[in-house]
Coordinates of all heavy atoms in Angstrom, one line a residue:
M4 N 0.9 -1.2 0.0 CA 0.0 0.0 0.0 C 0.9 1.2 0.0 O 1.8 1.3 0.9 CB -0.9 0.0 1.3 CG -1.8 1.1 1.3 SD -2.9 1.2 2.8 CE -3.9 -0.2 2.6
N5 N 0.6 2.2 -0.9 CA 1.5 3.4 -0.9 C 1.2 4.4 0.2 O 0.1 4.3 0.9 CB 1.4 4.0 -2.3 CG 0.2 4.7 -2.7 OD1 -0.5 5.2 -1.8 ND2 -0.3 4.6 -3.9
L6 N 2.1 5.2 0.4 CA 1.9 6.2 1.5 C 0.6 7.0 1.4 O 0.0 7.3 2.5 CB 3.1 7.1 1.5 CG 3.2 8.2 2.7 CD1 3.1 7.5 4.0 CD2 4.4 8.9 2.5
L7 N 0.2 7.5 0.2 CA -1.0 8.2 0.1 C -2.2 7.4 0.5 O -3.0 8.0 1.3 CB -1.2 8.7 -1.4 CG -2.4 9.5 -1.7 CD1 -2.5 10.7 -0.9 CD2 -2.5 9.9 -3.2
K8 N -2.3 6.2 0.1 CA -3.5 5.4 0.6 C -3.4 5.2 2.0 O -4.5 5.2 2.8 CB -3.4 3.9 -0.1 CG -3.9 4.1 -1.5 CD -3.9 2.7 -2.2 CE -4.3 2.6 -3.6 NZ -4.4 1.4 -4.1
Q9 N -2.2 5.0 2.7 CA -2.2 4.9 4.1 C -2.6 6.1 4.9 O -3.2 6.0 5.8 CB -0.7 4.5 4.5 CG -0.4 3.0 4.2 CD 1.0 2.6 4.5 OE1 1.8 3.5 4.8 NE2 1.2 1.3 4.5
L10 N -2.2 7.3 4.3 CA -2.5 8.5 4.9 C -4.1 8.8 4.9 O -4.8 9.3 5.7 CB -1.8 9.8 4.3 CG -0.3 9.7 4.7 CD1 0.4 10.9 3.9 CD2 -0.1 9.9 6.1
L11 N -4.6 8.4 3.6 CA -6.1 8.5 3.6 C -6.8 7.6 4.4 O -7.8 7.9 5.0 CB -6.5 8.2 2.1 CG -6.1 9.2 1.1 CD1 -6.2 8.8 -0.4 CD2 -6.7 10.6 1.3
L12 N -6.3 6.4 4.6 CA -6.9 5.4 5.6 C -6.8 6.0 7.0 O -7.8 5.9 7.7 CB -6.2 4.1 5.5 CG -6.9 3.0 6.3 CD1 -8.3 2.9 6.0 CD2 -6.1 1.7 6.0
T13 N -5.6 6.6 7.3 CA -5.6 7.3 8.7 C -6.6 8.3 8.9 O -7.2 8.4 9.9 CB -4.1 7.9 8.8 OG1 -3.2 6.8 8.6 CG2 -3.9 8.6 10.2
A14 N -6.8 9.2 7.9 CA -7.7 10.2 8.0 C -9.2 9.6 8.1 O -10.1 10.1 8.8 CB -7.8 11.2 6.7
A15 N -9.5 8.5 7.3 CA -10.8 7.9 7.4 C -11.0 7.3 8.7 O -12.2 7.4 9.3 CB -10.9 6.8 6.2
L16 N -9.9 6.7 9.3 CA -10.1 6.1 10.7 C -10.4 7.2 11.7 O -11.3 7.0 12.5 CB -8.9 5.3 11.0 CG -8.8 4.8 12.4 CD1 -9.9 3.6 12.6 CD2 -7.5 4.1 12.7
G17 N -9.8 8.3 11.5 CA -10.0 9.4 12.5 C -11.4 9.9 12.3 O -12.1 10.2 13.3
A18 N -11.9 10.1 11.1 CA -13.2 10.6 10.9 C -14.2 9.6 11.4 O -15.3 10.0 11.9 CB -13.4 10.7 9.3
A19 N -14.0 8.3 11.2 CA -15.0 7.3 11.7 C -15.1 7.3 13.2 O -16.2 7.3 13.7 CB -14.5 5.9 11.2
L20 N -13.9 7.5 13.9 CA -14.0 7.6 15.3 C -14.7 8.9 15.8 O -15.3 8.9 16.8 CB -12.5 7.4 15.9 CG -11.9 6.0 15.7 CD1 -10.4 6.1 16.2 CD2 -12.7 5.1 16.6
A21 N -14.3 10.0 15.1 CA -14.9 11.3 15.5 C -16.4 11.1 15.4 O -17.1 11.7 16.2 CB -14.4 12.3 14.6
S22 N -16.9 10.5 14.4 CA -18.4 10.4 14.2 C -19.0 9.5 15.2 O -20.2 9.6 15.5 CB -18.8 10.0 12.8 OG -18.3 8.7 12.6
A23 N -18.2 8.6 15.7 CA -18.8 7.6 16.8 C -18.7 8.3 18.1 O -19.2 7.6 19.1 CB -18.0 6.4 16.6
A24 N -17.9 9.4 18.2 CA -17.6 9.8 19.6 C -18.8 10.1 20.5 O -18.8 9.7 21.7 CB -16.8 11.2 19.5
P25 N -20.1 10.5 20.1 CA -21.1 10.6 21.0 C -21.6 9.3 21.7 O -22.1 9.3 22.7 CB -22.3 11.3 20.0 CG -21.6 11.9 18.9 CD -20.3 11.0 18.8
A26 N -21.4 8.2 21.0 CA -21.8 6.9 21.6 C -21.0 6.6 22.7 O -21.4 5.7 23.5 CB -21.8 5.9 20.4
F27 N -19.8 7.2 22.8 CA -18.9 6.7 24.1 C -19.0 7.7 25.3 O -18.5 7.3 26.3 CB -17.5 6.7 23.5 CG -17.1 5.7 22.5 CD1 -16.9 6.0 21.2 CD2 -17.3 4.3 22.8 CE1 -16.6 5.0 20.3 CE2 -17.0 3.3 21.9 CZ -16.7 3.7 20.6
A28 N -19.7 8.7 25.1 CA -19.9 9.7 26.2 C -18.6 10.1 26.9 O -17.6 10.4 26.2 CB -20.9 9.0 27.2
D29 N -18.6 10.1 28.3 CA -17.5 10.7 29.0 C -16.3 9.7 29.1 O -15.1 10.0 29.0 CB -17.9 11.0 30.5 CG -18.8 12.1 30.5 OD1 -18.8 13.1 29.6 OD2 -19.7 12.2 31.4
G30 N -16.6 8.4 29.4 CA -15.4 7.4 29.6 C -15.0 6.8 28.2 O -15.5 5.9 27.8
K31 N -14.1 7.5 27.6 CA -13.6 7.1 26.3 C -12.8 5.8 26.4 O -11.9 5.8 27.1 CB -12.8 8.1 25.6 CG -13.7 9.4 25.3 CD -12.9 10.4 24.4 CE -13.9 11.5 24.1 NZ -13.2 12.5 23.4
P32 N -13.1 4.8 25.6 CA -12.3 3.5 25.7 C -11.0 3.6 25.0 O -10.8 4.5 24.2 CB -13.2 2.6 24.9 CG -13.9 3.4 23.9 CD -14.1 4.8 24.6
T33 N -10.0 2.8 25.4 CA -8.8 2.7 24.7 C -8.9 2.0 23.3 O -9.5 1.0 23.2 CB -7.8 2.0 25.5 OG1 -7.6 2.6 26.8 CG2 -6.4 1.8 24.9
I34 N -8.4 2.7 22.3 CA -8.4 2.2 20.9 C -7.1 1.3 20.7 O -6.1 2.0 20.9 CB -8.6 3.3 20.0 CG1 -9.6 4.3 20.2 CG2 -8.5 2.8 18.6 CD1 -11.0 3.7 20.1
K35 N -7.3 0.1 20.4 CA -6.2 -0.8 20.2 C -5.9 -1.0 18.7 O -6.8 -1.5 18.0 CB -6.4 -2.1 20.8 CG -6.5 -2.1 22.5 CD -6.9 -3.5 23.0 CE -8.3 -3.5 22.8 NZ -9.1 -4.6 23.2
I36 N -4.8 -0.4 18.3 CA -4.5 -0.5 17.0 C -3.3 -1.5 16.7 O -2.2 -1.3 17.3 CB -3.9 0.9 16.3 CG1 -5.0 1.9 16.6 CG2 -3.4 0.8 15.0 CD1 -4.7 3.3 16.1
G37 N -3.5 -2.5 15.9 CA -2.5 -3.5 15.6 C -1.6 -3.0 14.4 O -2.2 -2.5 13.4
Y38 N -0.3 -3.3 14.5 CA 0.4 -3.0 13.3 C 1.5 -4.1 13.1 O 1.8 -4.9 14.2 CB 1.2 -1.6 13.5 CG 2.2 -1.6 14.6 CD1 3.5 -1.8 14.3 CD2 1.8 -1.2 16.0 CE1 4.5 -1.7 15.4 CE2 2.7 -1.1 16.9 CZ 4.0 -1.4 16.7 OH 4.9 -1.3 17.7
V39 N 2.0 -4.3 12.0 CA 3.0 -5.3 11.6 C 4.4 -5.0 12.2 O 4.9 -4.1 11.7 CB 3.0 -5.7 10.3 CG1 4.0 -6.8 9.9 CG2 1.6 -6.1 9.6
E40 N 4.7 -5.7 13.2 CA 6.0 -5.5 13.8 C 7.1 -5.5 12.8 O 7.2 -6.5 12.0 CB 6.2 -6.4 15.0 CG 7.5 -6.2 15.8 CD 7.5 -7.2 17.0 OE1 6.9 -8.2 17.0 OE2 8.1 -6.7 18.0
G41 N 8.0 -4.5 12.7 CA 9.3 -4.6 11.8 C 8.9 -4.0 10.6 O 9.9 -3.8 9.8
W42 N 7.8 -3.7 10.2 CA 7.5 -2.9 8.9 C 7.4 -1.5 9.1 O 6.5 -1.0 9.8 CB 6.1 -3.3 8.3 CG 6.0 -4.7 7.8 CD1 7.0 -5.8 7.8 CD2 4.9 -5.3 7.0 NE1 6.6 -6.8 7.2 CE2 5.4 -6.6 6.7 CE3 3.7 -4.9 6.6 CZ2 4.5 -7.5 6.0 CZ3 2.9 -5.7 5.9 CH2 3.2 -7.0 5.6
D43 N 8.4 -0.8 8.7 CA 8.6 0.7 9.0 C 7.4 1.5 8.6 O 7.0 2.4 9.5 CB 9.8 1.3 8.3 CG 11.1 0.7 8.8 OD1 11.1 0.1 10.0 OD2 12.2 0.9 8.1
D44 N 6.8 1.2 7.5 CA 5.5 2.1 7.2 C 4.4 1.8 8.1 O 3.7 2.8 8.4 CB 5.1 1.7 5.7 CG 4.7 0.3 5.6 OD1 5.4 -0.6 6.0 OD2 3.6 0.2 5.0
S45 N 4.3 0.6 8.6 CA 3.2 0.2 9.5 C 3.5 0.9 10.8 O 2.5 1.5 11.4 CB 3.2 -1.4 9.7 OG 2.1 -1.7 10.4
V46 N 4.7 0.8 11.3 CA 5.0 1.6 12.5 C 4.8 3.0 12.5 O 4.2 3.6 13.4 CB 6.4 1.3 12.9 CG1 6.9 2.1 14.2 CG2 6.7 -0.2 13.1
A47 N 5.2 3.6 11.3 CA 5.0 5.1 11.1 C 3.5 5.5 11.1 O 3.2 6.4 11.8 CB 5.8 5.6 9.9
T48 N 2.8 4.9 10.2 CA 1.4 5.3 10.1 C 0.6 5.1 11.3 O -0.3 5.8 11.7 CB 0.7 4.6 8.9 OG1 0.8 3.2 8.9 CG2 1.3 5.0 7.5
S49 N 0.8 4.0 12.0 CA 0.1 3.6 13.2 C 0.5 4.6 14.3 O -0.5 5.1 15.1 CB 0.5 2.2 13.7 OG 0.1 1.3 12.8
N50 N 1.7 5.1 14.4 CA 2.1 6.1 15.4 C 1.5 7.5 15.0 O 1.0 8.2 15.9 CB 3.7 6.3 15.5 CG 4.2 5.2 16.5 OD1 4.1 5.4 17.7 ND2 4.7 4.1 16.0
V51 N 1.4 7.8 13.8 CA 0.8 9.1 13.4 C -0.7 9.0 13.7 O -1.3 10.0 14.3 CB 1.0 9.4 11.9 CG1 0.0 10.5 11.4 CG2 2.5 9.8 11.6
A52 N -1.4 8.0 13.4 CA -2.8 7.8 13.7 C -3.1 7.8 15.2 O -4.0 8.5 15.6 CB -3.4 6.5 13.2
A53 N -2.2 7.3 16.0 CA -2.3 7.2 17.4 C -2.3 8.7 18.0 O -3.1 9.0 18.8 CB -1.4 6.4 18.0
Q54 N -1.3 9.5 17.5 CA -1.2 10.8 17.9 C -2.4 11.7 17.6 O -2.9 12.4 18.4 CB 0.1 11.5 17.3 CG 1.4 10.9 17.9 CD 1.4 11.2 19.4 OE1 1.3 12.4 19.8 NE2 1.7 10.2 20.2
V55 N -2.9 11.5 16.4 CA -4.1 12.2 15.9 C -5.3 11.9 16.8 O -6.0 12.6 17.3 CB -4.4 12.0 14.5 CG1 -5.7 12.6 14.0 CG2 -3.2 12.6 13.6
I56 N -5.5 10.5 17.0 CA -6.6 10.1 17.7 C -6.5 10.6 19.2 O -7.5 11.0 19.8 CB -6.8 8.5 17.7 CG1 -7.1 8.1 16.2 CG2 -7.7 8.0 18.7 CD1 -6.9 6.7 16.0
E57 N -5.4 10.5 19.8 CA -5.1 11.0 21.2 C -5.2 12.6 21.3 O -6.1 13.0 22.2 CB -3.8 10.6 21.7 CG -3.8 9.1 22.0 CD -2.4 8.5 22.5 OE1 -1.4 9.2 22.3 OE2 -2.4 7.4 23.0
T58 N -4.6 13.3 20.5 CA -4.5 14.7 20.7 C -5.8 15.5 20.1 O -6.3 16.4 20.7 CB -3.3 15.4 20.1 OG1 -3.3 15.1 18.6 CG2 -2.1 14.8 20.6
K59 N -6.3 14.9 19.1 CA -7.5 15.6 18.5 C -8.8 15.1 18.9 O -9.8 15.8 18.8 CB -7.4 15.5 16.9 CG -6.1 16.2 16.3 CD -6.2 17.7 16.6 CE -4.9 18.3 15.9 NZ -4.8 19.7 16.3
L60 N -8.9 13.8 19.2 CA -10.1 13.2 19.5 C -10.3 12.8 21.0 O -11.4 12.5 21.5 CB -10.4 11.9 18.6 CG -10.5 12.1 17.1 CD1 -10.5 10.8 16.4 CD2 -11.5 13.1 16.7
G61 N -9.2 12.8 21.6 CA -9.2 12.6 23.1 C -9.3 11.1 23.6 O -9.6 10.8 24.7
Y62 N -9.1 10.1 22.6 CA -9.1 8.7 22.9 C -7.8 8.2 23.3 O -6.7 8.5 22.6 CB -9.7 7.9 21.8 CG -11.1 8.0 21.6 CD1 -11.6 9.1 20.8 CD2 -12.0 7.2 22.1 CE1 -12.9 9.2 20.5 CE2 -13.4 7.3 21.8 CZ -13.8 8.4 21.1 OH -15.2 8.4 20.9
P63 N -7.6 7.5 24.4 CA -6.3 6.8 24.6 C -6.1 5.7 23.6 O -7.0 5.1 23.1 CB -6.4 6.2 26.0 CG -8.0 6.2 26.2 CD -8.6 7.2 25.4
V64 N -4.8 5.5 23.1 CA -4.5 4.6 22.1 C -3.4 3.6 22.7 O -2.5 4.1 23.3 CB -4.0 5.2 20.8 CG1 -3.6 4.1 19.9 CG2 -5.1 6.1 20.3
K65 N -3.7 2.4 22.4 CA -2.6 1.3 22.7 C -2.2 0.8 21.3 O -3.0 0.2 20.6 CB -3.1 0.2 23.6 CG -2.1 -0.9 23.9 CD -2.6 -1.8 24.8 CE -1.5 -2.9 25.0 NZ -2.0 -3.9 25.9
L66 N -0.9 0.9 21.0 CA -0.4 0.3 19.8 C 0.1 -1.1 20.2 O 0.9 -1.3 21.1 CB 0.8 1.1 19.2 CG 0.4 2.5 18.7 CD1 1.7 3.3 18.3 CD2 -0.6 2.4 17.6
V67 N -0.3 -2.1 19.3 CA 0.0 -3.6 19.5 C 0.8 -4.0 18.3 O 0.3 -4.3 17.2 CB -1.3 -4.3 19.8 CG1 -0.9 -5.7 20.1 CG2 -2.2 -3.7 20.7
P68 N 2.2 -4.3 18.5 CA 3.1 -4.9 17.5 C 2.8 -6.4 17.4 O 2.8 -7.1 18.4 CB 4.4 -4.5 18.0 CG 4.4 -4.5 19.4 CD 2.9 -4.0 19.8
V69 N 2.3 -6.9 16.2 CA 2.1 -8.3 16.0 C 2.5 -8.7 14.6 O 2.8 -7.9 13.8 CB 0.6 -8.5 16.1 CG1 0.1 -8.3 17.5 CG2 -0.3 -7.7 15.2
A70 N 2.5 -10.0 14.3 CA 2.7 -10.6 13.0 C 1.4 -10.3 12.2 O 0.3 -10.1 12.8 CB 2.9 -12.1 13.0
A71 N 1.5 -10.4 10.8 CA 0.4 -10.0 10.0 C -0.9 -10.8 10.3 O -2.0 -10.3 10.4 CB 0.7 -10.1 8.6
G72 N -0.7 -12.2 10.3 CA -1.8 -13.1 10.6 C -2.5 -12.9 11.9 O -3.7 -12.9 12.1
V73 N -1.7 -12.5 13.0 CA -2.2 -12.2 14.3 C -3.1 -11.0 14.2 O -4.1 -10.8 14.9 CB -1.1 -12.2 15.3 CG1 -1.7 -11.7 16.7 CG2 -0.3 -13.5 15.4
M74 N -2.5 -10.0 13.5 CA -3.2 -8.6 13.4 C -4.6 -8.8 12.7 O -5.6 -8.3 13.2 CB -2.4 -7.7 12.5 CG -2.9 -6.4 12.2 SD -1.9 -5.5 11.0 CE -2.2 -6.4 9.5
W75 N -4.6 -9.5 11.5 CA -5.9 -9.8 11.0 C -6.9 -10.5 11.9 O -8.1 -10.2 12.0 CB -5.7 -10.5 9.6 CG -5.3 -9.6 8.5 CD1 -4.1 -9.3 8.1 CD2 -6.2 -8.9 7.6 NE1 -4.1 -8.4 7.1 CE2 -5.4 -8.1 6.7 CE3 -7.6 -8.8 7.4 CZ2 -5.9 -7.4 5.7 CZ3 -8.1 -8.1 6.4 CH2 -7.2 -7.3 5.6
G76 N -6.4 -11.6 12.6 CA -7.4 -12.4 13.4 C -7.8 -11.5 14.6 O -8.9 -11.6 14.9
G77 N -6.8 -10.6 15.1 CA -7.2 -9.8 16.2 C -8.4 -8.8 15.9 O -9.3 -8.6 16.7
V78 N -8.2 -8.2 14.7 CA -9.3 -7.3 14.2 C -10.6 -8.0 14.0 O -11.7 -7.6 14.4 CB -8.9 -6.5 13.0 CG1 -10.0 -5.7 12.4 CG2 -7.6 -5.6 13.3
A79 N -10.5 -9.2 13.4 CA -11.7 -10.1 13.1 C -12.3 -10.4 14.5 O -13.6 -10.5 14.6 CB -11.3 -11.2 12.3
R80 N -11.6 -10.8 15.4 CA -12.2 -11.2 16.8 C -12.6 -10.1 17.6 O -13.4 -10.2 18.6 CB -11.2 -12.1 17.5 CG -11.0 -13.4 17.0 CD -10.1 -14.2 18.0 NE -8.8 -13.5 18.3 CZ -7.7 -13.6 17.6 NH1 -7.7 -14.2 16.5 NH2 -6.6 -13.0 18.0
G81 N -12.0 -8.8 17.3 CA -12.4 -7.8 18.2 C -11.4 -7.5 19.3 O -11.5 -6.6 20.1
D82 N -10.3 -8.3 19.3 CA -9.2 -8.1 20.2 C -8.4 -6.8 19.9 O -7.9 -6.1 20.8 CB -8.2 -9.2 20.2 CG -8.8 -10.5 20.6 OD1 -9.8 -10.6 21.3 OD2 -8.3 -11.5 20.1
L83 N -8.4 -6.4 18.6 CA -7.8 -5.2 18.1 C -9.0 -4.4 17.5 O -9.9 -4.9 16.8 CB -6.8 -5.5 17.1 CG -5.5 -6.2 17.6 CD1 -4.6 -6.6 16.4 CD2 -4.7 -5.3 18.6
D84 N -9.0 -3.1 17.6 CA -10.0 -2.3 17.1 C -9.8 -1.9 15.6 O -10.7 -1.6 14.9 CB -10.2 -0.9 18.0 CG -10.6 -1.3 19.3 OD1 -11.6 -2.0 19.6 OD2 -9.9 -0.9 20.3
A85 N -8.6 -1.7 15.3 CA -8.2 -1.3 13.8 C -6.7 -1.7 13.6 O -6.0 -2.0 14.4 CB -8.4 0.2 13.8
T86 N -6.5 -1.5 12.2 CA -5.2 -1.6 11.8 C -5.1 -0.6 10.6 O -6.1 -0.4 9.9 CB -4.8 -3.1 11.3 OG1 -3.4 -3.0 11.0 CG2 -5.7 -3.6 10.2
L87 N -3.9 -0.2 10.3 CA -3.6 0.6 9.1 C -2.6 -0.1 8.3 O -2.0 0.5 7.4 CB -3.1 2.0 9.5 CG -4.1 2.9 10.2 CD1 -4.2 2.7 11.7 CD2 -3.9 4.3 9.8
S88 N -2.4 -1.4 8.5 CA -1.5 -2.2 7.9 C -1.9 -3.3 6.9 O -1.4 -4.3 6.8 CB -0.5 -2.8 8.9 OG 0.1 -1.7 9.7
A89 N -3.1 -3.0 6.2 CA -3.6 -4.0 5.3 C -3.0 -3.7 3.9 O -3.2 -2.7 3.4 CB -5.0 -3.9 5.3
W90 N -2.2 -4.7 3.5 CA -1.5 -4.6 2.1 C -2.4 -5.4 1.1 O -2.2 -6.6 1.0 CB -0.1 -5.1 2.3 CG 0.8 -4.0 2.8 CD1 0.6 -3.2 3.8 CD2 2.2 -3.8 2.3 NE1 1.8 -2.5 3.9 CE2 2.7 -2.8 3.2 CE3 3.0 -4.4 1.3 CZ2 4.0 -2.4 3.0 CZ3 4.2 -4.0 1.3 CH2 4.8 -2.9 2.1
L91 N -3.4 -4.6 0.5 CA -4.3 -5.3 -0.4 C -3.9 -4.8 -1.8 O -3.6 -3.7 -2.0 CB -5.7 -5.1 0.0 CG -6.1 -5.7 1.3 CD1 -7.4 -5.1 1.8 CD2 -6.0 -7.1 1.4
P92 N -4.2 -5.6 -2.8 CA -4.9 -6.9 -2.8 C -3.9 -8.1 -2.7 O -4.3 -9.1 -2.4 CB -5.6 -7.0 -4.2 CG -4.7 -6.2 -5.0 CD -4.1 -5.1 -4.2
A93 N -2.6 -7.9 -3.0 CA -1.7 -9.0 -3.1 C -1.2 -9.6 -1.7 O -1.4 -10.7 -1.3 CB -0.5 -8.7 -4.0
T94 N -0.5 -8.8 -1.0 CA 0.3 -9.3 0.2 C -0.6 -9.8 1.3 O -0.4 -11.0 1.8 CB 1.2 -8.2 0.9 OG1 2.0 -7.6 -0.3 CG2 1.9 -8.7 1.9
H95 N -1.8 -9.3 1.5 CA -2.7 -9.8 2.6 C -3.9 -10.2 1.9 O -5.0 -10.3 2.7 CB -3.0 -8.6 3.6 CG -1.8 -8.4 4.5 ND1 -1.8 -7.1 5.2 CD2 -0.7 -9.0 4.6 CE1 -0.6 -7.2 5.9 NE2 0.0 -8.2 5.5
G96 N -4.0 -10.5 0.7 CA -5.1 -11.0 0.0 C -5.8 -12.2 0.6 O -7.0 -12.3 0.7
A97 N -5.0 -13.1 1.1 CA -5.5 -14.4 1.6 C -6.1 -14.1 2.9 O -7.2 -14.6 3.3 CB -4.4 -15.5 1.8
Y98 N -5.6 -13.2 3.7 CA -6.2 -12.8 5.0 C -7.5 -12.1 4.8 O -8.5 -12.3 5.5 CB -5.3 -11.8 5.8 CG -4.0 -12.5 6.3 CD1 -2.8 -11.9 5.9 CD2 -3.9 -13.7 7.0 CE1 -1.6 -12.5 6.4 CE2 -2.7 -14.2 7.5 CZ -1.6 -13.6 7.1 OH -0.4 -14.2 7.5
W99 N -7.5 -11.2 3.7 CA -8.8 -10.6 3.4 C -9.9 -11.7 3.1 O -11.0 -11.4 3.6 CB -8.6 -9.6 2.2 CG -10.0 -9.0 1.7 CD1 -10.6 -9.4 0.6 CD2 -10.6 -8.0 2.2 NE1 -11.7 -8.6 0.4 CE2 -11.9 -7.8 1.5 CE3 -10.5 -7.2 3.4 CZ2 -12.7 -6.8 1.8 CZ3 -11.4 -6.2 3.6 CH2 -12.6 -6.0 2.9
E100 N -9.6 -12.6 2.2 CA -10.5 -13.6 1.8 C -11.0 -14.4 3.2 O -12.2 -14.6 3.2 CB -10.0 -14.6 0.9 CG -9.8 -14.0 -0.5 CD -11.1 -13.5 -1.0 OE1 -12.2 -14.2 -1.0 OE2 -11.2 -12.3 -1.7
Q101 N -10.1 -14.7 4.0 CA -10.5 -15.4 5.3 C -11.4 -14.6 6.2 O -12.3 -15.1 6.8 CB -9.2 -15.8 6.0 CG -9.4 -16.7 7.3 CD -8.2 -17.1 8.0 OE1 -7.0 -16.8 7.4 NE2 -8.4 -17.7 9.1
Y102 N -11.1 -13.2 6.4 CA -11.8 -12.5 7.4 C -12.7 -11.4 6.9 O -13.3 -10.7 7.7 CB -10.7 -11.8 8.2 CG -9.8 -12.7 9.0 CD1 -8.5 -12.9 8.8 CD2 -10.3 -13.5 10.0 CE1 -7.6 -13.7 9.5 CE2 -9.6 -14.3 10.8 CZ -8.2 -14.4 10.5 OH -7.4 -15.4 11.3
K103 N -12.9 -11.3 5.6 CA -13.7 -10.1 5.0 C -15.1 -9.9 5.5 O -15.6 -8.9 5.6 CB -13.7 -10.1 3.5 CG -14.4 -11.3 2.8 CD -14.3 -11.2 1.4 CE -14.9 -12.4 0.7 NZ -14.7 -12.3 -0.8
S104 N -15.6 -11.1 6.0 CA -17.1 -10.9 6.6 C -17.0 -10.4 8.0 O -18.0 -10.2 8.7 CB -17.7 -12.4 6.5 OG -17.0 -13.3 7.4
K105 N -15.7 -10.4 8.6 CA -15.6 -10.0 10.1 C -14.9 -8.7 10.3 O -14.6 -8.3 11.4 CB -14.9 -11.2 10.8 CG -15.8 -12.4 10.8 CD -14.9 -13.6 11.5 CE -15.7 -14.9 11.4 NZ -15.0 -15.8 12.0
V106 N -14.4 -8.1 9.2 CA -13.6 -6.8 9.3 C -14.3 -5.9 8.4 O -15.1 -6.2 7.4 CB -12.1 -6.9 9.0 CG1 -11.6 -7.9 9.9 CG2 -11.9 -7.4 7.5
E107 N -14.1 -4.6 8.6 CA -14.6 -3.5 7.7 C -13.5 -2.7 7.2 O -12.6 -2.2 7.9 CB -15.6 -2.6 8.5 CG -16.2 -1.6 7.7 CD -17.3 -0.9 8.3 OE1 -17.8 -1.3 9.4 OE2 -17.6 0.3 8.0
S108 N -13.5 -2.4 6.0 CA -12.4 -1.5 5.3 C -13.1 -0.1 5.2 O -14.0 0.2 4.5 CB -12.1 -2.0 3.8 OG -11.4 -1.2 3.2
V109 N -12.6 0.8 6.1 CA -13.1 2.1 6.1 C -12.8 2.9 4.9 O -13.6 3.7 4.5 CB -12.6 2.9 7.4 CG1 -13.6 3.6 8.0 CG2 -11.8 2.0 8.3
S110 N -11.8 2.5 4.1 CA -11.5 3.3 3.0 C -12.2 2.7 1.8 O -12.2 3.2 0.7 CB -10.0 3.1 2.6 OG -9.6 1.8 2.3
G111 N -12.9 1.5 1.9 CA -13.5 0.9 0.9 C -12.6 0.1 0.0 O -13.0 -0.5 -1.1
V112 N -11.3 0.0 0.3 CA -10.3 -0.7 -0.4 C -10.4 -2.2 -0.1 O -10.5 -2.5 1.1 CB -9.0 -0.2 -0.2 CG1 -7.9 -0.9 -0.9 CG2 -8.8 1.2 -0.6
G113 N -10.4 -3.0 -1.1 CA -10.4 -4.4 -0.9 C -10.2 -5.0 -2.3 O -10.5 -4.4 -3.3
P114 N -9.7 -6.3 -2.3 CA -9.5 -6.9 -3.6 C -10.8 -7.0 -4.4 O -11.9 -7.1 -3.8 CB -8.8 -8.1 -3.3 CG -8.7 -8.2 -1.9 CD -9.4 -7.1 -1.2

């Protein structure tokens, strides 16, 4: 996924959380973002998103470094709230096929 798509996904994630803010009222939950450990772009975009979500939206964020398969499974099960590290359609295409009924692509990107 190129940098522009990742930045757009970051903005989409922030907008989605901002629109959901009234449902959480005063006690804002910690947003758990999974990222692929060792992938520099994954680390960078996840940290940027975390800063935006914390400073602009007021939600605490926990970044969770994991392997790609664990990340997809975690989002599908609800153990992780989001990821910005989906490399579609090729690199993570098999994960998409396995979990597409249990995850949502906020950017609408999918194979």
Side-chain angles (χ1 to χ4, degrees):
M4 179 182 296
N5 68 35
L6 182 58
L7 179 58
K8 284 184 181 178
Q9 290 179 343
L10 291 174
L11 291 173
L12 184 56
T13 302
L16 177 62
L20 289 172
S22 66
F27 293 111
D29 295 327
K31 293 184 178 180
T33 297
I34 306 298
K35 293 174 282 182
I36 300 175
Y38 68 93
V39 181
E40 188 171 24
W42 289 8
D43 291 343
D44 65 313
S45 185
V46 173
T48 54
S49 298
N50 275 279
V51 168
Q54 287 299 307
V55 170
I56 293 166
E57 288 178 340
T58 60
K59 299 295 183 186
L60 302 176
Y62 286 86
V64 175
K65 178 179 181 183
L66 295 175
V67 184
V69 293
V73 174
M74 176 187 70
W75 278 89
V78 173
R80 284 188 309 276
D82 298 335
L83 298 170
D84 298 304
T86 184
L87 290 89
S88 302
W90 281 38
L91 298 169
T94 304
H95 290 166
Y98 295 124
W99 173 258
E100 287 303 316
Q101 181 179 358
Y102 296 114
K103 67 184 176 184
S104 67
K105 297 178 182 173
V106 299
E107 182 175 341
S108 173
V109 224
S110 69
V112 175

